[in-house]
Amino acid sequence: MKFASPEGEQRYDALVAAAPGVIVALDFDGTLSPIVDDPSQAHIHPDAGEVLVALARKVLAIAVVTGRPARQVLDLGGLEEVGDAFAAAGKELYVFGQYGNERWSASHRVIVGPRPPQGLATFLRELPRTLRTADAADAYVEEKGLAVAVHTRRLPDPEGAFARLLPILTEQAEAHDLIVEPGRNVVEVRSDGMDKGLVVDRLITQLDAKGFLFAGDDLGDVDAFETVAAYASEGLPTLLVCSASEEQAALVALSDVVVEGPEGVLELLRRLTDDIPG
């Protein structure tokens, strides 16, 4: 791990001091699980469960905040079993799926979420023609129930296809009162009104957090980073962690700590666990 500045190291120390009231929030893909060609195979790092349970004993709560459907993350992360360990320790694990539109917790084992947004079904019907227009007919389309993600990673020129698709999908989404969420060789289309920044805000206010750590890896985490930074400016101990990669560096300039992928994230969480007294 590498602190982005001397202030980053100071923020880490302040977070350690506030540990009993700290919430640790983590993205899933690229942060707890590796980025892979097939999204259905993006299983959580094998050490993650053990690391999260050990850290949970020393902080207020842990949350996974992701663009994926909550059910996918629970299955790919084995998080229902991890939640059992949290509950046994008297701690809470939250999963916020689809940018916060879905919610699950270790103490309330039901996924709660809204109906699909209006316009999504029509957008999906038009999507094959849209992909052909952008010379990306073979892009992988992932239907998420409340959203649809178009992945270019499997195409011969992933970056070029992404660049062609982004403006076209943005225009199509806006025509159906939807928004786009660009990521690492993926464009997600979903309803407006919820993002990771709002999830952060609600966690801090509803749980009366005394500190907050957020770790993410790409553009979908910018809202969360900006919300955490706003709380930091008001005096809340915070730490922003970038799980960096060669593909995406959007969060590096916003971060207090930069690590290398899920391995680096878990190394940081182990260090945090060891540094917190008790």
Side-chain angles (χ1 to χ4, degrees), residues 7-91:
E7 290 78 12
E9 192 162 4
Q10 293 167 9
R11 287 175 180 161
Y12 177 87
D13 292 340
L15 197 80
V16 168
V22 165
I23 297 172
V24 174
L26 308 145
D27 179 37
F28 189 77
D29 290 275
T31 302
L32 288 175
S33 71
I35 298 293
V36 294
D37 290 343
D38 183 351
S40 68
Q41 298 302 311
H43 295 283
I44 199 168
H45 190 285
D47 296 338
E50 180 182 351
V51 172
L52 293 179
V53 171
L55 177 59
R57 297 189 177 99
K58 295 190 174 184
V59 297
L60 178 61
I62 292 179
V64 176
V65 187
T66 174
R68 281 185 181 267
R71 171 46 56 192
Q72 280 187 7
V73 172
L74 289 169
D75 293 343
L76 290 170
L79 293 180
E80 287 176 302
E81 293 79 6
V82 175
D84 291 338
F86 272 60
K91 294 293 183 175

Side-chain angles (χ1 to χ4, degrees), residues 131-144:
L131 295 179
R132 289 195 298 271
T133 300
D135 192 24
D138 293 330
Y140 174 65
V141 176
E142 180 186 7
E143 296 186 36
K144 298 185 174 184

Side-chain angles (χ1 to χ4, degrees), residues 159-259:
E159 292 80 11
F162 175 87
R164 292 194 303 275
L165 277 172
L166 182 57
I168 296 173
L169 293 179
T170 299
E171 182 179 356
Q172 290 290 97
E174 290 175 350
H176 298 293
D177 295 321
L178 303 168
I179 63 171
V180 298
E181 197 78 58
R184 291 163 67 173
N185 291 322
V186 58
V187 181
E188 183 161 334
V189 177
R190 62 183 182 87
S191 60
D192 200 359
M194 178 57 72
D195 59 50
K196 293 185 180 184
L198 290 173
V199 174
V200 169
D201 184 63
R202 292 178 183 181
L203 281 170
I204 290 173
T205 56
Q206 292 177 6
L207 300 184
D208 191 24
K210 307 304 180 186
F212 203 94
L213 181 153
F214 193 94
D217 74 305
D218 70 5
L219 293 171
D221 300 307
V222 170
D223 290 324
F225 270 52
E226 290 177 345
T227 300
V228 173
Y231 273 99
S233 70
E234 297 173 2
L236 187 76
T238 65
L239 195 73
L240 290 170
V241 180
C242 173
S243 176
S245 72
E246 294 181 358
E247 290 182 352
Q248 182 57 261
L251 299 180
V252 172
L254 304 176
S255 300
D256 301 308
V257 182
V258 178
V259 300

